[in-house]
Amino acid sequence: MMESQPLQEPTATAPAAGEEQAGAPPAVVPGKEFTRTCKGLVVVLIGGYLLLQLLPSSLNYLAIIPSKTIPYVWTVFTAGYIEQVLPGAIGSSLGLLFCGKDIEPVWGRKEFLKFIILVNSICGILAFCFAIGLYYVTGKESFLVTPLSGFHGCLAGFLVALKQLLPNLELPMCFFWKIKAKWMPFFVVCFSSIMAFIVPDSINFLPTLVSGMYVSWLYLRYFQRNPLTGLKGDPSDDFSFPSLFPAAMRPVTDPVANLFDRMLCARSRPSEVALPVSDPTKASRRRERGERVLEERLAADHAVDTEAPAHGHGTAED
């Protein structure tokens, strides 16, 4: 991997010819190494896991236990940072580091932390509501007493963010199989749904994963204000609700997308002619620049890998 300096705030490169005149935002260089913010959050995740090992009773005050949530309301905000098992702590830490190094340099530290707090908090509230609903539907008391916690809702949100920023980024899955970032949200939902039938206990994770993706998409689609452009949301077709699913599912996803647009965009449409809040052309151009920067970074990494052996061979001959 190329050696580079850490980026904590959005860093812009010189715009390509013709882009500045068109009013396009400057190109953004994604981070190439783990950021301090992500490292600090990893300490929080690992620290939460160690705290549970030293003081198991603290789980009652940090995780969501639906039957106790009414007196312990703060747990819907703290549960997202508490991992109960070691694989979860390790997996969440690695996911945070590798996703955050590409997302935080583009958004900036403040927006990155805002996204994490927002998604984790809403996922906690929805997880509590889902558990109560499942109890009334099934009558199983286990839904009321099972502790719910983990960073996986925010990790699901990161996948949606990567789909927006770098949709063609190939993410490794297992062995030599890779999948593009734009298909990762759909893949995770399908995989988690299948696992919920195979391993019944895993159904507790499914509502949080789905909530994380749903909340993050709504925020990025309609509410996030880009710190570089000042534009609100991302109205491009490449980030529409149907784009989260295969084209064969459009008869189902299109009505849902139209409902979102009517509810969340109706108020802003009258002012779009005089003062455009969001421009699909600019959003698409910004995404294309992100993909171009990714390709340049991969090419540079490959050049360094090929030059290093050649340099070592030349030294040996001297």
Side-chain angles (χ1 to χ4, degrees):
M1 182 177 291
M2 292 183 60
E3 182 178 359
S4 62
Q5 59 183 6
L7 298 176
Q8 300 301 330
E9 298 297 335
T11 302
T13 60
E19 288 185 347
E20 185 175 358
Q21 291 77 2
V28 176
V29 180
K32 301 176 184 177
E33 60 183 36
F34 305 141
T35 66
R36 293 181 179 179
T37 306
C38 292
K39 293 176 181 177
L41 289 172
V42 166
V43 173
V44 174
L45 295 177
I46 299 298
Y49 168 75
L50 294 177
L51 177 63
L52 294 185
Q53 308 312 306
L54 297 175
L55 297 173
S57 60
S58 62
L59 183 65
N60 297 324
Y61 305 97
L62 297 175
I64 298 173
I65 301 178
S67 62
K68 300 181 179 179
T69 301
I70 297 303
Y72 304 147
V73 180
W74 63 83
T75 56
V76 298
F77 304 104
T78 60
Y81 309 95
I82 301 299
E83 292 290 350
Q84 300 181 40
V85 295
L86 183 59
I90 295 175
S92 294
S93 298
L94 292 176
L96 172 61
L97 290 173
F98 283 98
C99 292
K101 74 181 180 65
D102 282 331
I103 298 175
E104 184 186 350
V106 179
W107 288 354
R109 179 183 299 175
K110 182 178 179 180
E111 177 63 27
F112 184 66
L113 289 174
K114 176 183 176 182
F115 178 84
I116 292 175
I117 295 172
L118 176 69
V119 173
N120 265 341
S121 300
I122 297 181
C123 282
I125 296 173
L126 293 178
F128 167 74
C129 295
F130 276 124
I132 296 297
L134 289 173
Y135 165 72
Y136 280 111
V137 171
T138 64
K140 295 182 179 179
E141 294 187 359
S142 59
F143 290 114
L144 295 180
V145 298
T146 301
L148 306 175
S149 66
F151 198 69
H152 45 279
C154 197
L155 291 180
F158 286 159
L159 296 179
V160 177
L162 286 176
K163 169 185 168 54
Q164 180 195 37
L165 298 174
L166 298 170
N168 291 322
L169 174 66
E170 292 187 340
L171 302 175
M173 296 300 297
C174 60
F175 300 104
F176 300 101
W177 182 41
K178 295 182 179 180
I179 184 172
K180 290 186 177 181
K182 62 183 178 181
W183 297 121
M184 275 299 293
F186 178 74
F187 172 80
V188 170
V189 169
C190 292
F191 179 78
S192 301
S193 300
I194 295 173
M195 290 302 297
F197 289 98
I198 299 176
V199 183
D201 291 340
S202 64
I203 195 174
N204 294 322
F205 297 95
L206 184 59
T208 306
L209 287 172
V210 175
S211 299
M213 293 181 184
Y214 176 72
V215 171
S216 60
W217 178 80
L218 280 179
Y219 174 69
L220 297 175
R221 175 71 170 177
Y222 297 106
F223 301 106
Q224 185 193 51
R225 187 171 296 278
N226 189 288
L228 293 177
T229 65
L231 300 178
K232 186 178 181 180
D234 183 354
S236 63
D237 292 337
D238 292 336
F239 197 59
S240 63
F241 186 77
S243 71
L244 298 173
F245 304 90
M249 299 181 63
R250 291 191 70 92
V252 177
T253 57
D254 282 348
V256 178
N258 294 333
L259 177 62
F260 286 143
D261 288 337
R262 287 196 298 269
M263 290 190 304
L264 301 174
C265 293
R267 295 182 179 180
S268 63
R269 282 175 181 167
S271 62
E272 285 179 356
V273 176
L275 182 60
V277 177
S278 300
D279 190 338
T281 303
K282 292 181 180 180
S284 298
R285 189 181 296 118
R286 184 170 68 245
R287 183 175 293 103
E288 291 174 0
R289 278 197 303 276
E291 295 177 4
R292 185 168 61 250
V293 169
L294 173 63
E295 294 175 358
E296 293 174 355
R297 187 179 71 181
L298 295 176
D301 290 343
H302 179 70
V304 170
D305 294 337
T306 55
E307 290 176 1
H311 178 73
H313 181 68
T315 304
E317 290 180 352
D318 294 340

